[in-house]
Amino acid sequence: MILRKILMSSNICGNTKQLLPIMCNFVRYKSSEVEKSQRTSYAKQQTTIFDKIIAKEIPSDIIYEDDKCLAFNDVNPQAPVHFLVIPKRRIPMLDDISDNDRDILGELIIRAQQLAKERLPNGYRLVINNGKQGCQSVYHLHIHILGGRQLTWPPG
Ligand code: 5GP
């Protein structure tokens, strides 16, 4: 709202004004993702939306599945290609990983790499958000794979 007021009252060209709704939506999206991660209580989340996706109780755009892991397109993509690779066994977050999880972590990374190489020959990024300040909103460990445009650094 504030951004809209500032831009509308400033002396900006027509093209920029046309971009205004897009910019406002972007700012709204960014803050809503952060807000979501701030609201999410780790202890409260016994199961997550990803359990429902694994159980096929809700629809998702699945791109790979085996007995250990699942990959599906993100419902709110942040790049032309944005998918998630998750373990079927629920591990809430990276902080919960121990030496016993070496195998599944290896599986997830190798699967992410194989799917990414097929889809993103010019490069890609793997991201794991961990905890509130890491902007994690779903407490079922997942790797984001993003690409299909020039990514920038540092991330927000
Ligand atoms: P996090 O912020 O926890 O690292 O990422 C969670 C991701 O899961 C977000 O990018 C969000 O868009 C995605 N997501 C949340 N709910 C769903 C859903 O129901 N379906 C799909 N495909 N992705 C989801």
Side-chain angles (χ1 to χ4, degrees):
M1 202 60 186
I2 292 168
L3 178 70
R4 184 185 290 273
K5 275 186 189 156
I6 293 168
L7 289 172
M8 290 305 280
S9 62
S10 62
N11 188 19
I12 52 177
C13 68
N15 280 350
T16 310
K17 279 195 175 162
Q18 281 163 11
L19 282 175
L20 187 58
I22 298 168
M23 292 160 74
C24 287
N25 281 341
F26 177 72
V27 169
R28 200 173 302 130
Y29 170 74
K30 291 286 279 184
S31 45
S32 75
E33 273 298 287
V34 173
E35 279 164 18
K36 224 185 284 171
S37 77
Q38 296 300 306
R39 279 199 307 267
T40 305
S41 160
Y42 170 53
K44 267 194 257 168
Q45 279 194 337
Q46 293 306 312
T47 59
T48 73
I49 193 87
F50 290 176
D51 293 288
K52 294 195 167 125
I53 288 176
I54 292 166
K56 316 275 168 48
E57 288 168 13
I58 60 165
S60 66
D61 189 7
I62 292 174
I63 57 176
Y64 178 85
E65 179 168 20
D66 63 25
D67 57 334
K68 296 196 191 79
C69 62
L70 186 71
F72 51 95
N73 285 317
D74 197 294
V75 76
N76 203 345
Q78 300 304 301
V81 176
H82 182 180
F83 60 94
L84 306 172
V85 177
I86 69 171
K88 284 195 170 170
R89 176 167 63 85
R90 182 163 175 261
I91 302 167
M93 62 199 295
L94 197 62
D95 271 355
D96 297 317
I97 289 291
S98 71
D99 274 354
N100 298 334
D101 299 310
R102 284 171 191 271
D103 286 354
I104 187 63
L105 275 186
E107 287 280 342
L108 295 175
I109 298 277
I110 286 170
R111 197 56 58 199
Q113 180 250 38
Q114 285 173 345
L115 294 167
K117 265 174 116 175
E118 290 164 16
R119 289 164 176 74
L120 298 162
N122 294 323
Y124 52 86
R125 182 176 296 163
L126 268 55
V127 173
I128 299 178
N129 294 328
N130 183 84
K132 281 188 181 180
Q133 288 201 341
C135 212
Q136 183 174 6
S137 60
V138 178
Y139 279 76
H140 184 124
L141 181 69
H142 50 281
I143 304 177
H144 295 260
I145 298 89
L146 300 127
R149 65 170 165 80
Q150 179 58 59
L151 301 175
T152 57
W153 193 262

